[in-house]
Amino acid sequence: MSTMLRSSGKSVTVWVLLAMIVLGLGGYQVGNFSNRGQSIGAVGESEITARDYSDALRQEINAVAAQIGHPPSMSEVRAMGLDQVVQAQLFNTAALSEQARRLELSVGDAEVSRQIRSARPFQGATGSFDRETYREVLRREGLTETEFETRLRADIARSILQGAVAGGVPAPAALLDGYVGYLGETRDVAFAEIPATGISLPAPDAAALKAYYDANLAEFTRPETREISYVWLTPDMLKDEIAIDEAQLRATYDERKAEYVQPERRKLAKLVFPTQAEAEAGMAKIAAGTASLADLAEARGLSAADIDLGDVSQDEIGGAAGEAVFARTTPGVIGPYETDLGPALFDFQAVTPSETTTFEEARGDIAAELAMEKARRMIADMTTDLEDRLASGATLEDMVKETKMQPGKISMAADTRDGIAAYDAFREAAAKVTTEDFPELAVLEDGGVFALRLDGVTAAAPIPFDQLRDKVEASWRTAEMVKAKQAKAEAAGAAGQTLAAQGLAEKTAPDLQRGGFVEGAPQGLAQTAFATAAGKSATLTEGDKVFVVTVRAVKPADPADPELVQLRKTFDTRLSQMLGADLAAFYARAAQAEAGITLDSAMIAAVQAQFQ
């Protein structure tokens, strides 16, 4: 389905303006494109301003940054095609705006006024529309009231047109029925694991093992390795050289005293009532044994999770209520007590005693932590000198002689994780380095630094058969045992008897759903069962385990099942929305073809340049 138009008619200019105000510039040094005379293109007479393109592109980049953990560069944005996606969205929107203009579709002043007065950016301290706030917000955004209201009016008209095109598109009933029927079908399944007992394998001769070795050479091949020389320096290497004075240890303990002195905490649930009388009536029901606090919460539409406070301290409850609750020595419901939200009942469930770690007990951990922090700072202070030495042509051997860096060598395969290869930064650098590269300083995740050199590459090569005979035989036996089990599974499935009658440890999975999970069953049970016809059997192999799976019955979906009824409604809504979005996209393309498109590549490049 098309994703070119994301909105359903609700994204009017006033909310776009709100997003701009809230998001600001998102960490990018983006130029302030004015709203006059600068556009990246147009559909007919409906222009797309450079400001609109900049804002839309920034929002898309910020969304990607939230997923990958860092803002992508503009070259990465282009590689992902995000710039083209944003342009397509804007030109589709402009096409709808142009069509609304040609149809002379508009809204009255009353609707424009309502939209403006309900927008949060234009509300003052009282929470209602404030004209001075309105003017100030528009001034900061470089808009006059007339310009903004003209854009708002046009945007509402475009939204009306988009809603008329995309709204009310029904999903095909046959598709809905087929989809729900597919998901709602269940199967009654029996399965059993084929045991190894009773299966004997002949002793393999050298020829059989050699043939197996040749047929499975990849299993017996030593992977390619990169021979790496490196130097490194980590905080752990320096920590023993660092002394932390007693005063600093004591000061750190005092600063973090909240970590070492934990007050008593209690597991509580709290239900707040509108009035004292209602709280007292609720407590009376609990005292009489006719209701629990959970019952009172449920009667008010709240779940147990809604009233659960978890483990809290007296300070977190505060006031007289906190004192009263923590004065209680036995679990139970108590109250009502006045709280910031009103009179409340508390269900006291358990106590977590206070816990104190003395300075003497914490001293060692604090000293180690402070030493590591100081070691990281020391390495950071050395970084410029280390970089300069390498840039001046110092070899790794020179760095060992002249600095605190320590040497090492490692054969790096794809799965090497030992020693320095436990660091992601080192593995990435080792995978990229070439023999032509000069060593450069790089940073490790713990604040350490390293530099490396590729000494050579040892190509992948088969390990000689004579060195692996025992391993080859073990692998051969496993494979032959699996084949033997598979043969028994096929025979069991074709025997015309139940699995139990054949002496197998039969298990059943009645009403198995598509994609369902059964405790103690192989993971592929559902997939195999739904690929097998009623009354038939199939063999399922997972690792060295083999199962026989029999489908006893196929049960069609029940259209009256409440879960399937709800599923059908949900799918109906989503499919209708997707079809509507596609229709809006097709309509926008037709409008583009009719009105014609102009594109200013230089202005597009100028906007993108602000994101470099």
Side-chain angles (χ1 to χ4, degrees):
M1 296 293 174
S2 173
T3 59
M4 297 179 72
L5 287 177
R6 295 185 177 180
S7 66
S8 58
K10 298 180 181 178
S11 177
V12 292
T13 300
V14 68
W15 304 116
V16 174
L17 178 58
L18 171 60
M20 292 191 303
I21 295 168
V22 172
L23 293 175
L25 297 181
Y28 286 96
Q29 299 300 317
V30 179
N32 181 24
F33 296 100
S34 71
N35 295 292
R36 303 179 184 85
Q38 291 186 320
S39 68
I40 67 164
V43 178
E45 297 181 17
S46 297
E47 291 190 340
I48 302 167
T49 68
R51 171 72 171 273
D52 290 339
Y53 180 48
S54 173
D55 290 336
L57 186 59
R58 181 173 61 254
Q59 290 179 31
E60 197 73 27
I61 290 174
N62 287 344
V64 172
Q67 295 176 4
I68 66 177
H70 65 86
S73 66
M74 199 61 220
S75 60
E76 291 174 320
V77 169
R78 295 190 191 99
M80 290 185 283
L82 294 182
D83 57 327
Q84 297 298 317
V85 169
V86 170
Q87 290 172 36
Q89 292 169 354
L90 292 174
F91 275 95
N92 276 349
T93 301
L96 293 176
S97 296
E98 176 64 10
Q99 198 68 1
R101 186 190 67 79
R102 292 187 174 201
L103 294 172
E104 298 183 354
L105 185 62
S106 186
V107 294
D109 293 342
E111 176 61 16
V112 173
S113 176
R114 187 189 69 79
Q115 292 276 3
I116 292 173
R117 289 180 174 277
S118 63
R120 286 187 179 275
F122 306 143
Q123 293 176 0
T126 62
S128 59
F129 175 75
D130 182 82
R131 176 159 290 279
E132 288 305 315
T133 301
Y134 175 52
R135 289 172 177 164
E136 176 60 21
V137 170
L138 294 186
R139 186 192 65 77
R140 290 201 305 266
E141 295 302 318
L143 292 167
T144 66
E145 291 184 40
T146 300
E147 287 172 333
F148 176 70
E149 290 166 13
T150 298
R151 293 179 65 184
L152 175 58
R153 193 185 306 275
D155 200 35
I156 297 173
R158 177 194 58 76
S159 299
I160 292 171
L161 176 61
Q162 182 174 331
V165 172
V169 182
L175 179 58
L176 293 174
D177 293 340
Y179 177 74
V180 173
Y182 174 82
L183 290 183
E185 179 185 292
T186 61
R187 302 194 171 202
D188 289 344
V189 176
F191 64 97
E193 182 179 353
I194 303 298
T197 53
I199 300 176
S200 60
L201 299 176
D205 57 24
L209 293 180
K210 185 62 167 60
Y212 181 81
Y213 168 85
D214 291 337
N216 298 273
L217 203 55
E219 181 182 348
F220 308 111
T221 295
R222 184 182 292 110
E224 176 186 281
T225 57
R226 297 168 68 80
E227 308 306 325
I228 304 288
S229 292
Y230 63 90
V231 292
W232 63 328
L233 183 63
T234 67
D236 193 59
M237 296 174 184
L238 297 178
K239 67 179 183 181
D240 293 339
E241 302 177 14
I242 298 170
I244 307 297
D245 62 58
E246 195 72 12
Q248 187 176 1
L249 292 172
R250 178 67 70 175
T252 302
Y253 177 83
D254 291 340
E255 289 172 6
R256 302 178 184 175
K257 204 150 191 177
E259 299 176 23
Y260 300 113
V261 180
Q262 296 290 330
E264 177 184 300
R265 304 180 73 83
R266 298 196 169 195
K267 182 172 175 54
L268 301 171
K270 180 179 77 171
L271 181 60
V272 179
F273 291 83
T275 65
Q276 180 72 15
E278 290 178 82
E280 291 173 351
M283 188 62 195
K285 291 181 180 180
I286 292 173
T290 58
S292 65
L293 192 66
D295 294 333
L296 298 179
E298 184 178 353
R300 296 174 57 192
L302 300 173
S303 67
D306 293 329
I307 64 173
D308 183 25
L309 295 181
D311 288 331
V312 295
S313 66
Q314 180 174 331
D315 288 343
E316 288 172 314
I317 300 175
E323 293 179 12
V325 169
F326 274 75
R328 175 82 176 221
T329 57
T330 57
V333 179
I334 52 178
Y337 301 118
E338 192 62 36
T339 70
D340 292 341
L341 300 177
L345 298 180
F346 291 85
D347 183 6
F348 165 31
Q349 300 165 5
V351 175
T352 301
S354 61
E355 184 177 348
T356 299
T357 302
T358 65
F359 172 72
E360 287 71 23
E361 293 170 332
R363 189 182 187 285
D365 290 340
I366 295 174
E369 183 179 341
L370 293 179
M372 289 293 285
E373 289 178 3
K374 190 169 182 179
R376 279 190 284 268
R377 291 195 299 270
M378 288 173 61
I379 292 174
D381 292 340
M382 298 178 193
T383 298
T384 300
D385 175 63
L386 298 175
E387 288 175 334
D388 289 345
R389 289 175 182 270
L390 289 169
S392 299
T395 64
L396 299 186
E397 291 73 18
D398 294 334
M399 298 297 285
V400 173
K401 294 176 183 176
E402 300 168 4
T403 73
K404 291 180 177 291
M405 299 189 82
Q406 298 183 14
K409 289 182 178 291
I410 188 170
S411 294
M412 287 289 296
D415 60 350
T416 304
R417 295 293 186 276
D418 299 329
I420 193 172
Y423 292 94
D424 292 340
F426 182 85
R427 292 199 306 274
E428 292 172 7
K432 295 176 182 177
V433 66
T434 70
T435 52
E436 288 76 28
D437 293 334
F438 291 101
E440 294 181 352
L441 199 71
V443 179
L444 296 168
E445 293 89 317
D446 62 359
V449 292
F450 72 95
L452 57 78
R453 178 183 66 220
L454 177 63
D455 296 329
V457 177
T458 302
I463 303 172
F465 172 75
D466 293 341
Q467 297 179 18
L468 291 176
R469 183 185 175 95
D470 291 345
K471 181 178 179 181
V472 173
E473 182 172 347
S475 182
W476 176 89
R477 288 188 176 279
T478 299
E480 289 299 309
M481 180 60 73
V482 167
K483 288 180 184 178
K485 289 179 179 180
Q486 289 171 338
K488 288 191 70 172
E490 291 174 4
Q497 296 179 297
T498 65
L499 302 179
Q502 299 179 63
L504 296 173
E506 179 181 295
K507 297 180 181 179
T508 60
D511 297 320
L512 179 64
Q513 296 179 332
R514 195 178 298 274
F517 172 78
V518 178
E519 183 93 25
Q523 291 185 352
L525 177 65
Q527 182 178 358
T528 301
F530 278 85
T532 305
K536 300 294 183 179
S537 297
T539 299
L540 171 59
T541 303
E542 290 189 352
D544 61 353
K545 293 185 177 182
V546 178
F547 300 82
V548 57
V549 179
T550 299
V551 178
R552 290 178 171 174
V554 174
K555 299 178 180 179
D558 178 8
D561 185 312
E563 289 188 8
L564 294 183
V565 170
Q566 183 58 46
L567 178 64
R568 193 181 194 280
K569 289 180 180 178
T570 301
F571 185 54
D572 187 7
T573 300
R574 292 182 179 177
L575 182 58
S576 296
Q577 291 172 345
M578 295 166 71
L579 290 172
D582 275 353
L583 282 178
F586 294 144
Y587 184 82
R589 290 174 189 153
Q592 290 175 19
E594 179 182 348
I597 293 177
T598 58
L599 190 68
D600 189 337
S601 299
M603 182 55 68
I604 290 175
V607 174
Q608 293 182 2
Q610 302 299 316
F611 289 84
Q612 300 295 350

